[in-house]
Amino acid sequence: TGEGLVICQLRGKLKRGRAIGDIAALGDHVQITIGADGSGAIETVDERKQAIVRLDPRPQGEYQQILLANADQAVFVFACANPNPKLRMLDRFLVITEKQKIPAVIIANKIDLVENAKEVFGLYESIGYRVIYTSTKTGAGLDEMKAQLQNKINALAGPSGVGKSSLLNAIQDGLGLAVNEISTAMNKGRHTTVTRQLFALNGGGYVADTPGWKSLAL
């Protein structure tokens, strides 16, 4: 808010009845009131334009866990080598974004390790996806990547070791480290959601690491 960070609780009226999914989630637009002690209460949650949803089977039915609401795009980071690209995983991610109507961008990182990255990732360009070729060692593609992320809410995902944190640190010092700390905390337990955060980009926009992509249902 314009007044800084406000710790809020959901109003009881929002929790009436059986919820089939998260009532308020990261990325939601909400209306709050602030009490005399500085604490806040969420009064209303605006309708989501879309959401990245993980279905969580429970005895009473399938629960919709919202990884990120109102994402403008999903950004999938894969390395050209070290580790070798898991294209079946990338294909699965892309199917999920198509199903959930979220635009997707592919970051082909570590291009300095191969002779021709387009031999691997050029296919995705030919079917309409934007592919940005990057290297933190040479600086290739970093300005293009930052421009693509700015003024948007970005859901970031990709396998371990592909250079997500290094890329984020290269476009904004300390951003990748902060995101990695949150991601590590989230992965300590299954379906952990209490530490999920958005990180602001210099120049506008937000990045949210979303490791839960790997367990999303098609």
Side-chain angles (χ1 to χ4, degrees):
T1 71
E3 300 181 27
L5 181 66
V6 180
I7 306 300
C8 296
Q9 300 288 333
L10 285 168
R11 283 289 191 197
K13 63 182 180 181
L14 295 176
K15 297 185 283 187
R16 291 173 186 163
R18 187 174 71 86
I20 61 171
D22 293 340
I23 298 170
L26 184 69
D28 274 329
H29 299 281
V30 301
Q31 301 293 323
I32 69 171
T33 56
I34 301 176
D37 61 354
S39 65
I42 297 175
E43 303 287 350
T44 62
V45 181
D46 293 351
E47 183 178 357
R48 297 169 183 139
K49 63 180 182 182
Q50 92 283 98
I52 301 171
V53 180
R54 177 167 58 194
L55 300 180
D56 182 10
R58 298 182 180 185
Q60 64 270 34
E62 214 162 38
Y63 187 88
Q64 296 183 1
Q65 185 183 28
I66 310 301
L67 298 182
L68 181 63
N70 300 310
D72 293 307
Q73 64 185 5
V75 181
F76 299 131
V77 182
F78 282 75
C80 297
N82 192 28
N84 292 328
K86 299 178 180 180
L87 297 184
R88 291 186 64 182
M89 179 187 291
L90 174 55
D91 292 344
R92 184 170 180 268
F93 286 177
L94 293 173
V95 170
I96 291 169
T97 58
E98 293 291 344
K99 180 180 179 182
Q100 301 196 10
K101 296 180 171 53
I102 299 170
V105 176
I106 300 167
I107 306 294
N109 193 31
K110 302 186 183 181
I111 61 172
D112 54 285
L113 299 181
V114 297
E115 290 186 4
N116 187 357
K118 290 200 173 188
E119 287 183 356
V120 177
F121 291 96
L123 170 64
Y124 296 98
E125 292 181 288
S126 69
I127 59 176
Y129 290 102
R130 182 172 186 183
V131 181
I132 300 175
Y133 297 90
T134 61
S135 168
T136 56
K137 287 190 175 181
T138 67
L142 298 182
D143 289 341
E144 184 181 358
M145 177 182 172
K146 185 170 184 177
Q148 182 67 35
L149 297 182
Q150 284 186 330
N151 300 314
K152 299 180 181 71
I153 295 178
N154 302 279
L156 187 74
S160 299
V162 298
K164 296 188 297 294
S165 292
S166 296
L167 283 169
L168 292 174
N169 282 329
I171 65 174
Q172 181 174 313
D173 186 43
L175 179 63
L177 177 62
V179 171
N180 187 56
E181 287 174 347
I182 294 299
S183 180
T184 300
M186 287 178 63
N187 283 320
K188 287 181 179 177
R190 188 182 178 196
H191 300 323
T192 303
T193 60
V194 294
T195 57
R196 192 170 295 129
Q197 292 188 27
L198 283 172
F199 293 90
L201 281 167
N202 291 338
Y206 295 89
V207 174
D209 197 13
T210 49
W213 275 99
K214 294 180 182 179
S215 60
L216 290 177
L218 295 177

